[in-house]
Structure formats: C-alpha cells, structure tokens
Amino acid sequence: MKLKQLFIATGITILSVSACKPASKTEDYNWIKTGIDRAHHQLMLTAQEIDGTGKLPRSIWAGYDVNMLEQQLERPVITDSLRALPAADKIGTRRLCDIYDWTSGFFPGSLWYVYEMTGDEKVKDEAIKYTEILNPIREYTGTHDLGFMINCSYGNALRLSPADTIPAVIVQTAGNLCSRFDERVGCIRSWDFGYWNYPVIIDNMMNLDLLFSASKLSGDPYYREIAIKHADKTMPNHFREDYTCWHVISYNNDGTVEMKETYQGKAHDSSWARGQAWAVYGYTAAYRETQDKKYLDFAQNIADMIMTRVKTEDAVPYWDYDAPVVENTPRDASAAAVTACGLLEMSTLVEEGGKYFDYAEKILKSLSSDAYLAAADQSQGYVLMHSTGSLAHGSEVDVPLNYADYYYLEGLQRYMNIKGIEYKDL
Ligand code: GLY
C-alpha cells in the first residue's frame, strides 16, 4: 500500500488516510480515546505543577538494586560508574531537567500532539509556553541531540501554529548541529565526553530530520547534504549482518572505525532495544526525505529483524534484546513506542505494509492497556509506565520517560491519520 504523504517543513510527517486500512464502524477505538484522554489529563496536571520552575519533566527518580543490574548485565557492575543513588526522600518524585538536557523537547512535543488530537486551546497555550522556554537552545553546540530538542518542540509548533520566528530557530539550530560534522570522518559527532576518539551513536539518526527541515525552510541544500552523508556512513559501519546495530561507533580521524561498543546496552555485541528502534525510525525517515530506496530497503530489513527478535507476547521489548529473561527483566516502553512510529510510517511506504501496521497496532494497544498506561493522577503525571533509560548506569530503570510519552502520542497520531480517525468521532 503506497500512500500519498503530506510533507511538511519540519520533517514530522503527517500520513494521509490509508486506502487499505480504512476505519471500520465496528472496530473498537476506545483504547485510543482512553490513551489520548489520559495523556491530556496527565500532561496538563504536570504543566500546572511545574509552572514557574523553568524546568521540564524527564522521568521519576528511582533507585536500583545492584544484584539485579549484575544479573541483567551478566558482568560485575562497576559501581563507580553508576550514577549516585538518589536520596531516599527523592525516590518516587518527579525528575525534572533543564533546557539543555537531551530530552527537553519531548514535553512540549507531547503537548503539541495532544493539542493536535483534541483541539483544546488550553493545551496549545501550554505547548507554546514550554516550547518558548527552549529558545536559548538555538545558541547551543554541546550535543548532537539538538534535533530531538528543537524538532519535537519548535518543529511541531511550526506545523500546528506557524509563526514567522520559528524557521530561524530551526535553521540556526541545524547550523549548530552541522558544526559537529567532520568531513574526514563523514559523520556528526554525538558526544563530547568519554574515552572515544569520535563517538557516533545510532540515536543520532533521529537528529537528521532537523537538517532536512532546515534545507526545506532555508532553500539551502547544505543541511540535507550533511544528513545524507551521516546516514550513508552509518549504514555500513553501525550494523551487523543481521541488521541489529551497535550503540556506539567511534571513528579515527581518517574516518576508519576505532571501536564498536555499547554505552547503554547489556554488552558491546548485544542489541540494545532502543537503539534498534532509533534505527528503524531513522532510516524510514531518511527515505521519506530523500526517496532513496536504499534507505527504505534497509529500514525494512531492520523492521523484520525487530519483529523476529522481540519475543514478548505484548510486543513491548525487554530493555535489551539479549537481556536474560527473568521475572523482573525490565521492559522498555519507549523502545516500543519509537518502533511503532517507525513501522506505521513504513506501512505506508512499502507494498506489503500490512504486517508492519498490524505489529505497530499491537504495540499501541499494549501501551494503551492498564499494564503500561499510567492511572490518572499517578506516576507523577507521565502517560506511560515501564521504560528503561540506562540500566547499565543504574539510571531510570522501569520508570516513565518523557520520550516514551512523546512517541506513544506520535504513534497514536500516525495511527489515526492512517485509519482516517478523528478524536471527535471516538
Ligand atoms: N538518546 C539517548 C537514549 O536513547 O537513551
């Protein structure tokens, strides 16, 4: 099923109504309404409770059990490397972040999606407020995550409430992201910390949409050319023969590979769940923006790998595909939500898209169930429970995460667009 796509300046795609998956009057979409209404309630509660702090919600402070981490990692945990356990009275409270955190764009982005789905002007007011506090990011060059930060916030703002001032923010930030590109290496540098010579993480594929947007907005192909070079270099170096990927590839200055490692996964050669999700989403988006079929074929191979490797009944993966499965092996709802978004877009681009649509639907239904959807007024105002930030660092294990919420809502929006469903008809 090939669908006509509506491309927008920000790179956040609106998928048009599907020809092959029309909404049926007999289908029960109550799970979608429950998810949107719960998100509306939780996010508005959060917006009010953090008002005036100048900060954004990221997750919930959680402790960790070193024995459990060691069992999951199948190696001794180097406790020095663990982030300090939060004080006992902090555990269970909302973890806020400042605007320079890599996740700062997700809360405003989630508000934008809830506004888009419900049309509630009060949500729009909050979305504008929490987007505007990110304005200083346009001057920032200290991370590759500028795409997450600005595309999810300002990108959605431009799409849903265009203002003359927004394109300049996107183009300036894209320029700063490009300043992290080294022609000899052929990639954008991800991190400025660590022992690696030139670390590039698979997550960086998600930041390329900002560059495609900047070229469309400015008419300058430069940003887009950098994005393509990055995607092209990542494809042969970040992936194994079975289409799983390493988390971190570090390059030498001449562009040869220095190391292939993990930072957040179980082991260097394991398949960290969110990394696989970033990969399928990222290469599907690269195809959307370039129409270069090699990206779509590649993304499809990654999708097929994911659907084979994830063995859980509800399609929400464990935090690493190679993690030992015991009773308390943590899930990663954020990886599931990102995967659902990628597969929904793919379902509109390939002939045999139905299987990707069905798998994404299964994920979204799981995430909308009581097993993952936070109860009203609970979970510190987040929408989804049971994500894993970085188990390898004892950080954010089995907690809500703002990016799980964002991609869950993006997934619901993509699903509704494909099905031709509107919130008012639910
Ligand atoms: N981009 C960081 C993460 O996925 O945890």
Side-chain angles (χ1 to χ4, degrees):
M1 67 175 170
K2 279 211 170 156
L3 298 179
K4 187 165 160 275
Q5 280 181 276
L6 178 60
F7 295 109
I8 49 149
T10 61
I12 298 163
T13 316
I14 301 173
L15 306 166
S16 63
V17 179
S18 163
C20 91
K21 285 274 176 188
S24 142
K25 286 202 174 75
T26 57
E27 267 186 82
D28 178 5
Y29 294 120
N30 218 25
W31 59 275
I32 302 177
K33 181 160 168 47
T34 302
I36 297 171
D37 288 348
R38 191 67 49 78
H40 182 286
H41 178 85
Q42 296 290 87
L43 297 178
M44 288 301 273
L45 179 76
T46 304
Q48 283 152 21
E49 289 186 356
I50 66 169
D51 188 30
T53 62
K55 301 212 169 195
L56 297 131
R58 175 177 157 134
S59 65
I60 292 180
W61 287 106
Y64 52 80
D65 169 358
V66 171
N67 292 330
M68 190 275 267
L69 301 189
E70 288 192 345
Q71 184 192 42
Q72 286 296 301
L73 295 165
E74 293 183 329
R75 58 182 149 94
V77 172
I78 304 164
T79 45
D80 285 354
S81 79
L82 289 175
R83 292 166 202 184
L85 260 179
D89 63 351
K90 232 177 165 186
I91 290 178
T93 63
R94 184 182 286 130
R95 177 174 172 177
L96 298 175
C97 64
D98 69 22
I99 63 167
Y100 296 99
D101 188 275
W102 79 273
T103 72
S104 63
F106 294 120
F107 181 65
S110 294
L111 289 165
W112 281 118
Y113 275 124
V114 171
Y115 165 63
E116 182 174 16
M117 291 188 271
T118 63
D120 182 347
E121 292 291 323
K122 290 197 195 80
V123 179
K124 181 182 177 185
D125 291 345
E126 298 294 344
I128 291 172
K129 186 167 88 188
Y130 286 99
T131 294
E132 283 180 344
I133 68 170
L134 298 190
N135 198 272
I137 300 298
R138 65 194 298 173
E139 311 283 349
Y140 186 49
T141 57
T143 177
H144 70 131
D145 284 321
L146 297 168
F148 282 122
M149 295 152 95
I150 292 299
N151 208 36
C152 299
S153 54
Y154 278 93
N156 278 304
L158 182 61
R159 199 164 63 76
L160 298 168
S161 182
D164 291 350
T165 49
I166 297 175
V169 176
I170 290 174
V171 173
Q172 185 177 353
T173 310
N176 288 336
L177 182 54
C178 289
S179 75
R180 301 182 64 81
F181 180 81
D182 185 320
E183 196 68 56
R184 294 167 305 167
V185 173
C187 275
I188 296 164
R189 184 187 179 105
S190 294
W191 294 329
D192 294 341
F193 65 88
Y195 53 81
W196 307 280
N197 182 60
Y198 194 101
V200 179
I201 63 174
I202 190 62
D203 321 31
N204 204 345
M205 285 300 299
M206 299 295 287
N207 292 310
L208 304 185
D209 266 338
L210 182 80
L211 304 183
F212 289 116
S213 298
S215 278
K216 282 182 269 186
L217 290 168
S218 66
D220 184 343
Y222 170 69
Y223 312 99
R224 169 193 172 82
E225 284 162 11
I226 302 268
I228 289 170
K229 283 180 187 169
H230 184 95
D232 284 350
K233 180 91 188 209
T234 297
M235 214 189 301
N237 290 320
H238 244 95
F239 290 84
R240 309 182 182 105
E241 277 186 10
D242 64 359
Y243 293 97
T244 61
C245 62
W246 281 275
H247 182 201
V248 186
I249 301 296
S250 177
Y251 292 95
N252 297 304
N253 292 343
D254 63 1
T256 55
V257 171
E258 181 200 27
M259 295 180 206
K260 299 189 174 206
E261 296 210 329
T262 195
Y263 184 64
Q264 286 165 247
K266 169 177 174 275
H268 293 321
D269 286 327
S270 73
S271 299
W272 175 53
R274 200 161 51 256
Q276 316 312 307
W278 293 143
V280 76
Y281 186 122
Y283 277 99
T284 307
Y287 171 73
R288 177 223 306 142
E289 296 298 334
T290 60
Q291 299 297 296
D292 186 336
K293 182 87 165 25
K294 74 171 184 260
Y295 297 138
L296 183 61
D297 293 344
F298 199 69
Q300 210 175 339
N301 282 320
I302 301 167
D304 291 342
M305 175 279 294
I306 291 174
M307 288 163 53
T308 306
R309 287 292 309 277
V310 175
K311 304 283 189 208
T312 52
E313 234 167 68
D314 58 9
V316 177
Y318 295 111
W319 70 282
D320 188 299
Y321 293 178
D322 298 299
V325 177
V326 293
E327 204 188 335
N328 59 352
T329 300
R331 301 292 183 107
D332 185 8
S334 75
V338 173
T339 299
C341 290
L343 297 193
L344 284 171
E345 180 157 48
M346 180 177 295
S347 78
T348 68
L349 301 171
V350 298
E351 295 302 333
E352 63 280 32
K355 69 177 177 179
Y356 303 112
F357 182 90
D358 291 346
Y359 193 87
E361 180 182 62
K362 182 173 177 176
I363 291 175
L364 290 178
K365 282 186 174 172
S366 297
L367 296 180
S368 303
S369 73
D370 289 346
Y372 294 94
L373 193 67
D377 299 323
Q378 301 299 307
S379 300
Q380 296 294 349
Y382 293 96
V383 182
L384 294 183
M385 305 179 284
H386 305 310
S387 289
T388 297
S390 185
L391 186 143
H393 297 88
S395 179
E396 298 176 320
V397 180
D398 194 14
V399 293
L401 291 170
N402 59 13
Y403 40 100
D405 292 358
Y406 176 85
Y407 289 105
Y408 169 63
L409 293 167
E410 182 174 285
L412 290 181
Q413 176 69 75
R414 288 184 174 193
Y415 182 94
M416 288 166 68
N417 284 340
I418 290 171
K419 285 281 209 178
I421 304 168
E422 291 195 35
Y423 175 77
K424 65 177 170 46
D425 300 326
L426 290 172

